């Protein structure tokens, strides 16, 4: 209860009991606020409601670590309400749009919606471990829905909202940016759209950061000591220009610099615990904490850029709305595998666009369902060490088995991987079955075999290594599917691919090709 639960509770008391200019400065060693302003406003609202119910839950300094049962009920209820306000409506609307666009039946559409809302990793992290990821994910889905509806300015508004709630939405930003650039440049330059997208994006950031900055400016005019008593962040001290601390705009610059410093905590190091990504694998063999942080920052930035470059180029050259979820999944996997300061919980981000693709034309077919299901099971499996610390073994097992039963996936059903199933390629069957067996064997060993002396984290490290290998394959598969479905291979390399069989050519294109023959 002294992990993310306490962090969220502390932010509620912090935002309700302190002046707004102190939110990003107060007691940074004890769960200091390190999310963008929209999270702070959300915490303020929930803290105000909670304080009205029971004031002692949010008394700054004396309520730390409080574990009253009614407080737990209230906090869990806020997650549910937040999810039903942001995530559920967005998931329903996106599912309705994409299934209608791809001609999916109402029955299959209902199955897809259930699969999206019942994602075990998302439920376990938000409702059991305790976070508000579904607010950010709901805003991302709203942005994607706006793209499908060709309301690109609303898409910018919702996506900026996602970025300003949790900075991890940056995982999707390169793909979304490349798509918006593509629709502004192709098939011909659309200056009005380009300017409109830029202005709406800037205005959205200004509206969200406005209360924080203007509130700080107002408080500094009332009490100048508030500003002069605050230590400027390293990003402000490193500027080549000297800023007058007595100037009227100094509180604005100070607050903006401090919020950026807190939102992007580069000083923490490249790893957050044992994460199933590329750097986690390297660290298991060769310790990365012996290298300077600035060097690791540059290397990880370069690796991330290289990994997402093909995705961004593809979606910008072929800016079709049905390709955007593939691009966002590929971009998010690239960030998860190679970026700086990745949490194991960030696996929720690439899993979201992958899972909603079950609503595409061939989404519940053997191949797509097998790959998306495998990625989700692997994702929640890599979260098991974290969930185990929270005593969540039973919810983990129940939710995972229910989800696999819904989609007819291992371990509740092995039909997809039987010899009679010919739609799934033999190498894919072998690959997936190897990972499923590895996960099952790992659970048996973790439960009954004590790790050797001197290596207490052996099973956690093995979990991360297997997960990283699987996630790397997911990244390659999503990237390949994006390239394949875009038509890039045919247009630029003359490779003939049977797209009709895979359901990647729409009806109009099929009719045109038949007439030409």
């Amino acid at each position: 209860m002294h992990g993310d639960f306490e962090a969220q509770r502390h932010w509620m008391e912090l935002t309700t009991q302190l002046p707004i200019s102190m939110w990003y400065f107060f007691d940074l060693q004890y769960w200091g606020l390190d999310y963008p302003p929209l999270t702070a406003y959300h915490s303020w609202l929930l803290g105000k409601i909670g304080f009205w119910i029971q004031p002692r839950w949010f008394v700054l300094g004396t309520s730390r670590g409080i574990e009253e049962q009614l407080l737990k009920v209230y906090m869990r209820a806020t997650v549910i309400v937040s999810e039903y306000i942001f995530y559920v409506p967005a998931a329903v609307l996106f599912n309705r749009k994409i299934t209608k666009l791809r001609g999916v039946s109402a029955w299959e559409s209902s199955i897809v919606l259930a699969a999206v809302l019942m994602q075990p990793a998302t439920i376990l992290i938000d409702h059991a471990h305790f976070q508000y990821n579904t607010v950010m994910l709901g805003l991302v889905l709203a942005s994607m829905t706006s793209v499908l509806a060709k309301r690109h300015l609303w898409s910018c508004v919702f996506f900026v909202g996602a970025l300003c709630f949790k900075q991890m939405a940056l995982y999707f930003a390169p793909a979304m940016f490349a798509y918006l650039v593509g629709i502004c440049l192709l098939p011909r330059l659309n200056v009005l759209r380009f300017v409109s997208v830029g202005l709406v994006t800037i205005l959205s950031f200004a509206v969200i950061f406005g209360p924080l900055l203007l509130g700080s400016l107002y408080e500094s005019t009332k009490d100048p000591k508030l500003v002069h008593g605050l230590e400027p962040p390293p990003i402000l001290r490193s500027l080549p220009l000297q800023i007058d601390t007595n100037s009227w705009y100094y509180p604005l610059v100070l607050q903006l610099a401090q919020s950026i410093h807190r939102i992007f905590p580069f000083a923490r190091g490249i790893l957050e615990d044992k994460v199933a990504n590329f750097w986690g694998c390297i660290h298991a063999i060769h310790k990365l904490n012996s290298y300077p942080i600035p060097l690791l920052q540059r290397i990880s930035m370069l690796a991330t850029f290289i990994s997402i470059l093909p995705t961004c180029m593809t979606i910008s050259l072929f800016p079709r709305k049905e390709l955007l979820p593939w691009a966002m999944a590929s971009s998010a996997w690239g960030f998860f595998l190679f970026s700086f300061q990745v949490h194991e919980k960030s696996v929720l981000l690439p899993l979201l666009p992958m899972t909603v693709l079950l609503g595409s034309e061939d989404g519940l077919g053997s191949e797509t369902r097998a790959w998306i299901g495998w990625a989700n099971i692997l994702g929640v499996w890599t979260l098991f060490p974290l969930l185990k610390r929270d005593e969540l073994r039973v919810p983990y097992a129940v939710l995972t088995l229910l989800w696999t039963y819904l989609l007819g996936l291992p371990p509740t059903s092995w039909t997809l991987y039987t010899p009679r199933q010919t739609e799934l390629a033999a190498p894919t069957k072998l690959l997936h079955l190897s990972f499923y067996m590895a996960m099952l064997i790992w659970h048996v060993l973790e439960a009954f075999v004590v790790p050797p002396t001197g290596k207490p984290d052996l099973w956690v490290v093995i979990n991360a290594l297997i997960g990283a290998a699987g996630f790397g394959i997911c990244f390659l598969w999503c990237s390949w599917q994006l390239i394949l479905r875009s038509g890039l291979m045919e247009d630029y390399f003359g490779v003939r691919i049977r797209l009709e069989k895979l359901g990647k050519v729409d009806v109009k294109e099929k009719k045109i090709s038949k007439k030409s023959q």
Side-chain angles (χ1 to χ4, degrees):
M1 298 302 289
H2 296 289
D4 285 330
F5 181 94
E6 172 61 15
Q8 300 291 343
R9 188 209 61 79
H10 178 60
W11 294 347
M12 291 178 193
E13 68 181 3
L14 182 154
T15 52
T16 55
Q17 303 297 314
L18 290 175
I20 195 170
S21 57
M22 294 294 296
W23 286 3
Y24 284 97
F25 287 92
F26 180 77
D27 199 0
L28 302 181
Q29 299 304 314
Y30 184 80
W31 298 114
L33 184 60
D34 56 3
Y35 279 157
L38 205 54
T39 287
Y41 307 150
H42 180 255
S43 298
W44 176 86
L45 177 61
L46 299 181
K48 285 291 186 182
I49 298 172
F51 189 83
W52 176 74
I53 296 173
Q54 179 52 265
R56 70 168 175 271
W57 293 344
F58 305 106
V59 179
L60 199 63
T62 62
S63 59
R64 290 187 177 183
I66 188 170
E67 297 185 5
E68 288 187 13
Q69 192 61 36
L70 189 57
L71 171 63
K72 297 178 185 178
V73 172
Y74 170 72
M75 295 287 282
R76 301 294 181 190
T78 62
V79 177
I80 296 173
V81 172
S82 298
E83 180 171 310
Y84 271 86
I85 291 174
F86 291 94
Y87 187 66
V88 174
V92 171
L93 290 174
F94 181 85
N95 183 65
R96 185 180 300 172
K97 281 286 183 183
I98 194 171
T99 52
K100 184 178 180 180
L101 177 68
R102 307 311 293 175
V104 177
S105 68
W107 173 247
E108 291 180 333
S109 175
S110 300
I111 295 175
V112 172
L113 180 60
V116 172
L117 296 178
M118 288 182 62
Q119 263 188 290
T122 303
I123 293 176
L124 287 166
I125 292 299
D126 271 27
H127 295 277
H129 177 73
F130 198 88
Q131 284 194 342
Y132 295 98
N133 291 294
T134 49
V135 175
M136 179 262 294
L137 295 176
L139 291 168
V140 170
L141 278 177
S143 179
M144 295 168 67
T145 306
S146 300
V147 168
L148 294 182
K150 297 184 179 180
R151 297 180 177 178
H152 301 111
L153 298 184
W154 276 110
S155 176
C156 296
V157 172
F158 288 125
F159 195 77
V160 169
L163 285 171
C164 290
F165 191 84
K166 284 200 171 186
Q167 59 269 41
M168 283 80 78
L170 280 170
Y171 284 28
F172 303 123
M176 180 63 76
F177 175 78
Y179 172 80
L180 292 173
V181 169
I183 63 172
C184 291
L185 299 180
L186 298 173
R188 60 184 178 274
L189 178 63
N190 191 327
V191 177
L192 180 60
R193 176 181 287 173
F194 186 82
V195 173
S196 299
V197 166
L199 288 177
V200 168
T201 300
I202 294 171
L203 183 61
S204 300
F205 275 111
V207 168
I208 294 175
F209 272 83
L212 174 69
L213 300 179
L214 295 178
S216 300
L217 181 62
Y218 173 73
E219 290 172 359
S220 67
T221 59
K222 291 181 62 179
D223 185 6
K225 294 180 180 179
L226 274 176
V227 174
H228 294 293
L230 300 176
E231 182 180 355
I235 188 174
L236 191 58
R237 295 196 301 267
S238 63
L239 290 177
L241 300 175
Q242 195 72 19
I243 300 176
D244 183 9
T245 57
N246 295 316
S247 61
W248 68 268
Y249 57 84
Y250 179 71
L252 298 175
V253 177
L254 177 66
Q255 195 63 232
L256 183 61
Q258 178 68 6
S259 61
I260 293 174
H261 172 67
R262 292 295 300 162
I263 292 168
F264 300 103
F266 290 117
R268 291 184 185 176
I270 196 168
L271 288 171
E272 185 75 20
D273 209 353
K274 296 171 179 63
V275 183
N277 69 355
F278 178 77
W279 307 118
C281 293
I282 298 297
H283 188 72
I285 302 169
H286 181 73
K287 301 306 177 186
L288 294 175
N289 50 18
S290 60
Y291 293 93
I293 290 179
L295 174 63
L296 296 176
Q297 290 173 2
R298 290 191 288 270
I299 293 174
S300 65
M301 184 179 297
L302 178 62
T304 306
F305 175 77
I306 293 172
S307 69
I308 65 175
L309 183 61
T311 295
C312 294
M313 291 181 65
T314 303
I315 194 62
S316 61
L317 290 172
F318 302 92
R320 302 203 301 271
K321 57 188 178 182
E322 65 271 16
L323 295 178
L324 183 60
W326 293 103
M328 294 180 74
S330 176
S331 174
W333 279 124
F335 267 83
F336 182 84
L337 288 168
F338 299 107
S339 65
F340 194 86
Q341 252 291 310
V342 174
H343 292 249
E344 65 269 55
K345 293 161 284 190
S346 299
V347 75
L348 301 182
L349 280 86
L351 289 180
L352 174 69
M354 280 192 78
T355 307
V356 298
L357 281 165
L358 289 169
S360 60
E361 187 175 359
D362 58 331
L364 290 178
S366 299
E367 181 184 2
T368 307
R369 178 162 54 95
W371 278 96
I372 293 174
W374 174 69
N376 273 275
I377 301 307
L378 184 65
V380 73
W381 177 75
T382 59
L383 294 172
F384 180 80
L386 172 68
L387 300 172
K388 179 185 175 182
R389 291 199 296 268
D390 292 337
E391 299 295 334
L392 296 172
R393 297 180 189 85
V394 174
Y396 161 82
V398 171
L399 289 170
T400 304
L401 292 175
L402 281 173
W403 197 81
T404 57
Y405 178 77
L406 173 69
L407 293 176
L409 297 168
T412 55
S413 173
W414 300 86
T415 307
L416 272 177
Y417 298 95
T418 58
R420 294 181 181 179
Q421 175 57 261
T422 57
E423 294 182 24
L424 204 59
T428 301
K429 290 181 181 179
L430 179 62
L431 175 69
H432 289 186
L433 287 173
S434 299
F435 273 86
Y436 280 125
M437 293 307 299
M439 287 186 273
L440 290 172
I441 293 171
W442 181 90
H443 269 303
V444 173
L445 293 175
E446 188 274 336
F448 298 106
V449 178
V450 179
T453 305
K455 295 182 179 180
D457 296 328
L458 176 64
W459 302 129
V460 180
V461 172
I462 292 175
N463 178 288
L465 293 174
I466 295 173
F471 294 153
I473 295 170
C474 289
F475 165 65
L476 294 175
W477 182 75
C478 289
S479 302
W480 171 245
Q481 289 295 315
L482 172 65
I483 294 171
L484 187 67
R485 293 165 186 262
S486 69
L488 176 66
M489 300 297 290
E490 287 189 312
D491 291 350
Y492 288 91
F493 300 102
V495 178
R496 298 188 60 82
I497 303 170
R498 297 193 62 186
L499 295 175
E500 289 186 19
K501 179 181 177 182
L502 298 174
K504 296 153 190 155
V505 178
D506 61 29
V507 178
K508 291 182 180 179
E509 291 175 341
K510 292 179 183 178
K511 289 181 179 179
I512 293 171
S513 64
K514 288 179 180 178
K515 287 181 180 179
S516 63
Q517 292 174 356

